[in-house]
Amino acid sequence: MTAALKSVGTGPLARRSFLGLGLGAGAALALTACGSGSSTSAAGGSTGTVKWGWALPTSWDPIFSSAGWDVHDLSLVYAGLTKLDPHGTAVPALASGWTYNAKGDEITFTLKPGLTFSDGSPIDATAVKKSLDRGRTDPKSLVSAQLVHVAKVTASSPTTVVLSLTQADYQIPNLLAGKTGMIVSPKAFESNAAGLATQPVGAGPFTLTSYTQNAKAVLKRNPTYWDAANIKLQNFEVYPLPDASTVIASLQSGQYNVAQIPGSQVAAAKAAGLEVQVIPSLVVAVLDINAAKAPFDDPDVALALQYAIDRQALLKTQQFGYGTVSNQPFPPGYVGHDPASDNLYPYNPDKAKALLAKAGHANGLDVTLTTTAAEGVPEQVQAQLKAVGINAKISVIPLAQATQIVYVQHSQQIFTDQFAGRDSAAQAFQVLFGQQGLMNPGRSTPPDLLAAVAKVSATPLDSPDYPTVLQAATALAVRSMPNVFLYTVPRILARHHSVSAIPSDLVVQRFEGVSVG
């Protein structure tokens, strides 16, 4: 399996990626620390309610969601033609299968018959076409850039959808497994498109029954979901990210029975009798550098930043050692990881100083380090930069305005972030390095990198050449683009012993087979 993850370092998600990248007061199945609250569903078997301390989405409408991390919540209520298996490889979902033509510029999906959206309307080829076309053509769509290779969507029969492409692109099945390919009910967006922001209508494993922004989401099992037999939970609740100082107590009290925790809380969680799972992910901490803004328009200054950062120290302090030092966007073992780039930028303050002197900054320079929270990574990075003569002033901006300020206005020099990974490797390149990539504030991409990414898309995923082609693109990207990758950030989930093991999904956290007893 070419996209399989063989081995990945472990570590927590210490803070929320906004790219990337938050229930229920009247719930009848509230759990306590003693594990009460199990029930028997109509489908049979002990189920209950998962109460997930995690995050709430920026929008429940997938084409307007502005955070890569939203995919975990959105996957509860939406389904796509495909989904990703635990290793990140596309497998059938609403579609039973797909085929490419000989040139690779046309892909035909065959839909599973008889499926419906949560509003009862049919999931047929016309509905799929309308949903995908909305993502492609809505003027405010945030997924349209990912669908740029789709020239036309055709419903050639009630169960056949054909995507005509502008060029060969074998990444489409992976691409459509995430937010970009989530199928939304046309009945819903044709009657009240704005309402989807808080009232999603999809065909996922659950349906949203109530939602309080920034507070909680309450969902119930969707009996018409295509894989409903593997959804054991009757109810699901999602809460904002718990505070690190109170998350263990909240798990013990029953406020949550599953929650994300930072590495600093792992020992306490285990001591409290909680189960702890460290789940590999595609998340990586990164400093986004605007190469169009002085002083980083000088390649030597941008390169000096790479050597000025002590990634191992950051990993130890910020992650408590959970994760791996990284110089690239993909984790060890993933098909896109380039082993030759593992130690590309070792900590070398003397080399950083020499590069700054070469660029005419022997006496130092001043920069602004923009962040949404001053404590943690920004403060430690500030101290490391000061050691080589870079005086970084920390500027804190509101999380809700970060996308606009950093990636639309392109007004900041350095921004601390986490890249939440993408379903398609080519999509990850587009977001990070593309000329219109959201996380490429400099909006410049070398022609040879554009060509390398195009070659990735044009190479079948099952080709023996695919790993080499993809890794070559990774190697070129990390040597020609200014992004400063820091360390991998796996998920750390603590759970009450009444909750069964959570699947170890690489890209999107899923809950098939999970039960509460």
Side-chain angles (χ1 to χ4, degrees), residues 282-294:
L282 288 183
V283 179
V284 59
V286 60
L287 301 179
D288 296 326
I289 311 300
N290 190 337
K293 235 179 147 48

Side-chain angles (χ1 to χ4, degrees), residues 163-412:
L163 274 63
S164 301
L165 311 176
T166 59
Q167 63 184 60
D169 190 346
Y170 292 97
Q171 297 274 315
I172 295 296
N174 275 53
L175 178 68
L176 296 183
K179 281 196 306 177
T180 303
M182 288 178 175
I183 305 302
V184 182
S185 166
K187 179 180 176 181
F189 63 71
E190 289 173 350
S191 62
N192 181 20
L196 288 168
T198 56
Q199 303 169 48
V201 183
F206 299 92
T207 57
L208 188 70
T209 59
S210 69
Y211 176 56
T212 303
Q213 192 170 12
N214 300 321
K216 64 180 179 180
V218 181
L219 305 97
K220 67 177 181 180
R221 182 177 179 272
N222 176 13
T224 66
Y225 176 53
W226 71 270
D227 195 24
N230 285 318
I231 303 301
K232 309 301 181 184
L233 298 165
Q234 194 64 23
N235 301 283
F236 204 105
E237 302 176 0
V238 187
Y239 295 84
L241 181 68
D243 184 86
S245 64
T246 61
V247 63
I248 304 304
S250 297
L251 281 160
Q252 289 179 299
S253 71
Q255 181 178 353
Y256 318 116
N257 55 9
V258 179
Q260 175 183 268
I261 64 172
S264 60
Q265 296 298 312
V266 170
K270 291 180 178 178
L274 299 168
E275 302 291 336
V276 176
Q277 288 183 245
V278 180
I279 299 177
S281 83
L282 288 183
V283 179
V284 59
V286 60
L287 301 179
D288 296 326
I289 311 300
N290 190 337
K293 235 179 147 48
F296 298 108
D297 54 349
D298 186 324
D300 285 325
V301 176
L303 188 58
L305 209 63
Q306 299 279 10
Y307 292 105
I309 300 298
D310 186 344
R311 294 166 174 81
Q312 189 62 52
L314 286 170
L315 178 68
K316 181 179 179 180
T317 303
Q318 306 301 327
Q319 298 282 104
F320 277 67
Y322 288 92
T324 58
V325 164
S326 181
N327 289 283
Q328 56 186 298
F330 302 120
Y334 181 69
V335 64
H337 180 88
D338 174 41
S341 298
D342 277 340
N343 196 36
L344 182 61
Y345 300 116
Y347 179 51
N348 191 334
D350 289 337
K351 188 166 186 176
K353 292 176 183 178
L355 286 164
L356 291 173
K358 179 183 175 185
H361 301 288
N363 295 321
L365 76 164
D366 298 327
V367 300
T368 298
L369 177 63
T370 305
T371 183
T372 57
E375 296 181 353
V377 170
E379 290 180 333
Q380 193 170 2
V381 167
Q382 181 188 48
Q384 292 181 0
L385 295 182
K386 185 175 182 179
V388 301
I390 300 176
N391 299 309
K393 175 186 175 182
I394 295 177
S395 173
V396 180
I397 59 175
L399 178 63
Q401 299 175 25
T403 297
Q404 180 69 26
I405 293 172
V406 178
Y407 300 112
V408 177
Q409 297 176 0
H410 312 146
S411 60
Q412 306 304 300

Side-chain angles (χ1 to χ4, degrees), residues 42-58:
S46 178
T47 59
T49 303
V50 157
K51 302 166 75 174
W52 197 19
W54 177 254
L56 290 170
T58 57

Side-chain angles (χ1 to χ4, degrees), residues 70-90:
D70 288 351
V71 69
H72 302 280
D73 290 327
L74 298 180
S75 292
L76 296 171
V77 295
Y78 292 105
L81 297 177
T82 62
K83 72 168 190 173
L84 298 182
D85 70 10
H87 306 291
T89 300

